[in-house]
Amino acid sequence: MTKRGAVLENRKKLDASFQVERYRRDFPILSQKVYGKPLAYLDNAATTQKPKSVIDMLNRYYSFENANIHRGIHYLSQQATDAYDEARQTIQKFLNAREAREIIFVRGTTEGINLVAQSYGHTFLKSGDEILITAMEHHSNIVPWQILSDQIGAKLRVAPINDNGELILEEFEKLVNERTKFVAVTHISNALGTMNPVKRLVQMAHQLNIPVLVDGAQAVPHTVVDIQDLGCDFFVFSGHKIFGPTGIGILYGKAELLEKMPPYQGGGDMISSVRFEKTTYNKLPFKFEAGTPHIAGVIGLGAAIEYVNQIGLKNIFEYEQELLHYATSVLMKIPGLRIMGQAREKASIISFVFDDIHAHDIGTILDQQGVAIRAGHHCAMPLMERLGVPATARASFAFYNTKEEVDRLVQAIHAVLEVFG
Ligand code: 7TS
């Protein structure tokens, strides 16, 4: 079956109850006008918009429930603690993690990766060890490993990609060897949309007992993630990319590894007893949650995941695939437009360039038409170097985007061509 045929087949399977116009009404920001034009928000890989249920939850928390958790004996503190704990269970179920204590609240993907690099890496890696990443990583899955490598004398190895923006599996496999002591890979590339076969990568690494961290920042808003099926040792994502608040994210870690790892930060809540001579640490997950956490963020993230669950990530995936194929086909008709990243397995992210027009100029003119995209290196400068471009223009779609918005993107690009023609 052709790819288009497969998409149409999937469309038939798409739950008839998937109603994009209804979902759009859940997001107050989407009905805004910018420069007098309806907003077409196509910058979802940078951050997603928030449904009313999340906004209302934050409002309710601060209006009626605000208190610090795990310390007060009073009513409000109990309410806040219960809501906080409940959100952890929601996220455990969402990822299909074995236990709630494997879910650690962090600031975001970036902090989750830094935590693992410093706590696990600094403890279990040594001089001469190799850390394997890929050529399509976001800076936040490169720099923490460089910092660690500089500290301990480890070596960063990079698995290459082909011209379609796909990881070259044979090369990846060759780089997995007895010196490799850690693998960190992105699930979905934020700049290309490439979906990596992470389950296979985990299997390759596990043959040599090498732990694997998966950067799931761009995965969780687009596709079903089953941690136990993937088999990875660590998985990180950011709340703000899955319709939740900023400043909150998740680090999943296998309990047996988290148990062995020292705390990342010291402070309140992460201890069981403190004396000047010696401090003992709290059990999981609290050992890694020093200080007053982002309580509202956690509760808001729980509400966001519940919202996504109601629609269903399978439905979201099918709908976005259809949108991706439509957008790809209409963009490819624009003279001179080149799509960077043509992986067979792709999420709804499209990076494109024109030879003689800078991405920032594209972004600026699109903005004036009410079309919000991102232009730049997308925090993936080594990837841009590999692609041979300084920057790309990137349209990234969520389940609330429509074909009409894709058409507006195309119209706005024609306006760019008129200016630079
Ligand atoms: N990893 C990937 C794959 C990402 O896309 C991002 C953010 C991060 C890590 C970092 O997430 P944070 O929430 O900790 O900042 N990506 C983007 C982007 O593509 N445009 O803006 C942020």
Side-chain angles (χ1 to χ4, degrees):
M1 195 188 296
T2 61
K3 189 140 197 188
R4 179 82 196 128
V7 169
L8 289 174
E9 197 55 33
N10 279 339
R11 179 72 175 123
K12 280 189 220 139
K13 281 187 248 152
L14 182 58
D15 194 332
S17 66
F18 189 93
Q19 291 169 356
V20 65
E21 287 306 328
R22 205 181 83 207
Y23 304 137
R24 286 181 71 79
R25 287 198 290 275
D26 294 335
F27 292 79
I29 211 169
L30 295 180
S31 55
Q32 268 192 94
K33 288 195 168 164
V34 293
Y35 311 114
K37 305 201 169 75
L39 169 69
Y41 184 77
L42 308 180
D43 193 18
N44 294 286
T47 200
T48 53
Q49 300 302 347
K50 319 305 169 200
K52 207 162 168 300
S53 61
V54 170
I55 299 166
D56 288 349
M57 183 64 95
L58 295 176
N59 200 340
R60 198 181 85 193
Y61 171 73
Y62 282 124
S63 301
F64 303 110
E65 290 173 356
N66 176 55
N68 212 327
I69 54 163
H70 296 152
R71 38 199 107 196
I73 50 155
H74 55 81
Y75 178 82
L76 286 185
S77 175
Q78 199 50 52
Q79 294 278 101
T81 305
D82 289 349
Y84 187 84
D85 293 344
E86 211 174 288
R88 199 188 304 273
Q89 286 169 20
T90 301
I91 292 150
Q92 175 207 344
K93 285 199 201 97
F94 174 70
L95 292 177
N96 191 28
R98 275 179 208 86
E99 304 175 62
R101 68 191 179 119
E102 297 182 312
I103 304 298
I104 314 284
F105 291 119
V106 289
R107 268 197 304 133
T109 305
T110 303
E111 189 177 53
I113 298 173
N114 277 279
L115 188 160
V116 176
Q118 285 303 311
S119 172
Y120 183 91
H122 219 287
T123 310
F124 295 107
L125 272 65
K126 57 181 190 325
S127 177
D129 286 349
E130 292 181 3
I131 299 159
L132 178 59
I133 61 171
T134 80
M136 67 177 93
E137 300 306 322
H138 185 280
H139 294 163
S140 65
N141 201 25
I142 302 173
V143 186
W145 304 111
Q146 288 176 321
I147 293 172
L148 172 69
S149 299
D150 287 346
Q151 288 166 339
I152 64 171
K155 203 166 169 206
L156 197 62
R157 305 298 303 268
V158 183
I161 56 172
N162 64 24
D163 291 340
N164 286 334
E166 293 165 318
L167 191 61
I168 306 171
L169 291 184
E170 308 79 62
E171 297 296 324
F172 180 92
E173 194 158 25
K174 275 190 221 154
L175 285 163
V176 177
N177 63 52
E178 64 289 348
R179 290 184 303 282
T180 315
K181 292 294 182 267
F182 204 89
V183 172
V185 292
T186 194
H187 197 157
I188 293 180
S189 158
N190 67 313
L192 303 173
T194 307
M195 297 179 79
N196 281 320
V198 277
K199 188 173 173 179
R200 272 184 76 187
L201 304 181
V202 170
Q203 284 164 352
M204 286 180 198
H206 280 184
Q207 278 176 2
L208 293 179
N209 293 322
I210 305 161
V212 181
L213 175 144
V214 174
D215 172 352
Q218 298 294 347
V220 287
H222 299 296
T223 188
V224 176
V225 170
D226 180 331
I227 286 291
Q228 293 187 58
D229 182 54
L230 288 183
C232 59
D233 303 274
F234 299 101
F235 186 94
V236 284
F237 74 87
S238 300
H240 71 97
K241 292 193 200 282
I242 181 162
F243 319 104
T246 53
I248 187 69
I250 298 299
L251 163 65
Y252 155 86
K254 276 189 184 151
E256 71 239 46
L257 292 178
L258 293 173
E259 289 281 11
K260 286 193 236 160
M261 288 160 53
Y264 175 54
Q265 292 180 330
D269 249 19
M270 53 73 71
I271 53 91
S272 71
S273 81
V274 178
R275 284 182 299 133
F276 287 120
E277 297 73 28
K278 185 170 170 58
T279 287
T280 54
Y281 304 131
N282 205 340
K283 58 185 198 270
L284 291 176
F286 312 111
K287 182 172 82 171
F288 292 106
E289 293 178 2
T292 299
H294 186 2
I295 304 164
V298 166
I299 294 170
L301 176 56
I305 304 257
E306 272 167 15
Y307 179 83
V308 167
N309 283 342
Q310 272 176 24
I311 301 174
L313 268 164
K314 269 180 93 162
N315 287 332
I316 288 176
F317 181 78
E318 305 298 358
Y319 176 77
E320 289 181 352
Q321 285 294 302
E322 190 181 311
L323 208 53
L324 171 70
H325 291 287
Y326 177 69
T328 305
S329 67
V330 290
L331 285 171
M332 287 211 308
K333 289 189 194 132
I334 299 177
L337 184 147
R338 273 197 296 140
I339 293 180
M340 310 305 279
Q342 306 253 24
R344 271 158 301 176
E345 303 290 329
K346 233 184 118 164
S348 53
I349 295 173
I350 303 182
S351 257
F352 59 92
V353 295
F354 287 91
D355 283 342
D356 304 320
I357 311 172
H358 195 280
H360 283 125
D361 292 329
I362 301 172
T364 306
I365 295 176
L366 262 52
D367 176 50
Q368 288 158 5
Q369 309 289 318
V371 178
I373 60 150
R374 184 170 174 192
H377 52 63
H378 314 295
C379 298
M381 287 172 89
L383 174 63
M384 295 297 123
E385 206 177 316
R386 164 65 180 83
L387 299 173
V389 294
T392 74
R394 179 189 70 185
S396 50
F397 305 95
F399 67 88
Y400 45 58
N401 290 125
T402 61
K403 285 187 180 167
E404 290 72 37
E405 288 177 310
V406 173
D407 293 340
R408 286 196 48 217
L409 168 69
V410 171
Q411 274 166 22
I413 296 173
H414 281 296
V416 174
L417 294 181
E418 268 166 40
V419 174
F420 288 91

